Amino acid sequence: MAIGLLAGNPASAQVVTNAAQSQSGTYNVEPGHTQVGFSVLHFGFTNYQGVFSNVSGTLTLDAQHPAASKLSVTIPVDSVQTTSAKLNDELKSDQWFDAAKFPNATFESTSVHLTGRNDAIVTGNLTLHGVTKPETLKVHFIGAGVNALDKKYTTGFEATGTIKRSDFGVKMYVPYVSDDVTLRIAGAFEKQD
């Protein structure tokens, strides 16, 4: 069906891939296509992965002056999913994220430093498990344009980074399950103004 829609209206499928050509303005997180993926080394055998979903937040994008851009996101901790229902429940428990006491993780940007045409270093305050620490993400602009399905102007980014979970008081099974947590984030944002 999506292919038919795109074929019927090819102009709506036009996407810019140069960040400077995207539209400045205020964007809301599009939760259906935003994922916060994580990976840990599990007992030295596998890089075990999971994901958080239902992310909310805002992006104030200044395409001509990226350093003026701001990002604020909230991640509901109880949205955590892995391939094991038992592990999902364990991760929500007080031994891990303690989702009942600390229901959300948040990230508030404090600086954006452009490192290339479509790349930036975004520094901000990550709050997780009741602890706030500065963290850095490498962000890559993917593209922007009118979404062919919902007709909303959308922009998308990929971000990567590594945090130490023990810095946030999540210490269960360290070092058997790695302290280092690799993040891979797919962020979709819909323009509001």
Side-chain angles (χ1 to χ4, degrees):
M1 180 174 163
I3 293 171
L5 290 172
L6 295 176
N9 188 4
S12 65
Q14 292 179 349
V15 173
V16 298
T17 56
N18 179 344
Q21 295 174 341
S22 61
Q23 293 182 13
S24 296
T26 300
Y27 291 75
N28 284 347
V29 170
E30 200 279 275
H33 295 96
T34 297
Q35 300 173 319
V36 179
F38 64 90
S39 175
V40 292
L41 181 59
H42 187 257
F43 285 81
F45 302 128
T46 58
N47 287 312
Y48 194 81
Q49 298 178 359
V51 66
F52 295 95
S53 57
N54 300 316
V55 178
S56 61
T58 59
L59 168 67
T60 304
L61 179 63
D62 188 332
Q64 299 307 310
H65 305 96
S69 299
K70 298 281 184 192
L71 175 66
S72 174
V73 295
T74 299
I75 305 156
V77 174
D78 68 357
S79 71
V80 67
Q81 288 189 332
T82 67
T83 53
S84 166
K86 181 181 176 186
L87 179 57
N88 295 346
D89 290 339
E90 286 180 18
L91 290 173
K92 296 173 192 179
S93 76
D94 60 1
Q95 292 182 317
W96 290 87
F97 292 120
D98 199 354
K101 187 174 180 182
F102 307 108
N104 295 311
T106 61
F107 182 81
E108 300 274 346
S109 69
T110 55
S111 71
V112 176
H113 174 71
L114 208 62
T115 58
R117 184 179 82 167
N118 290 332
D119 298 290
I121 299 294
V122 177
T123 301
N125 292 317
L126 174 64
T127 300
L128 173 66
H129 200 246
V131 177
T132 301
K133 297 267 184 187
E135 295 291 348
T136 300
L137 297 171
K138 292 180 182 177
V139 178
H140 178 72
F141 172 77
I142 303 291
V146 176
N147 182 315
L149 296 179
D150 66 12
K151 310 300 185 221
K152 294 183 179 178
Y153 190 85
T154 302
T155 186
F157 299 86
E158 180 176 74
T160 57
T162 302
I163 65 170
K164 287 196 177 298
R165 61 188 179 94
S166 64
D167 286 349
F168 298 90
V170 182
K171 300 177 182 178
M172 191 69 173
Y173 296 132
V174 171
Y176 306 108
V177 176
S178 65
D179 195 9
D180 285 351
V181 179
T182 301
L183 301 174
R184 187 172 204 95
I185 302 161
F189 301 85
E190 292 180 338
K191 195 165 187 283
Q192 301 301 300
D193 55 6

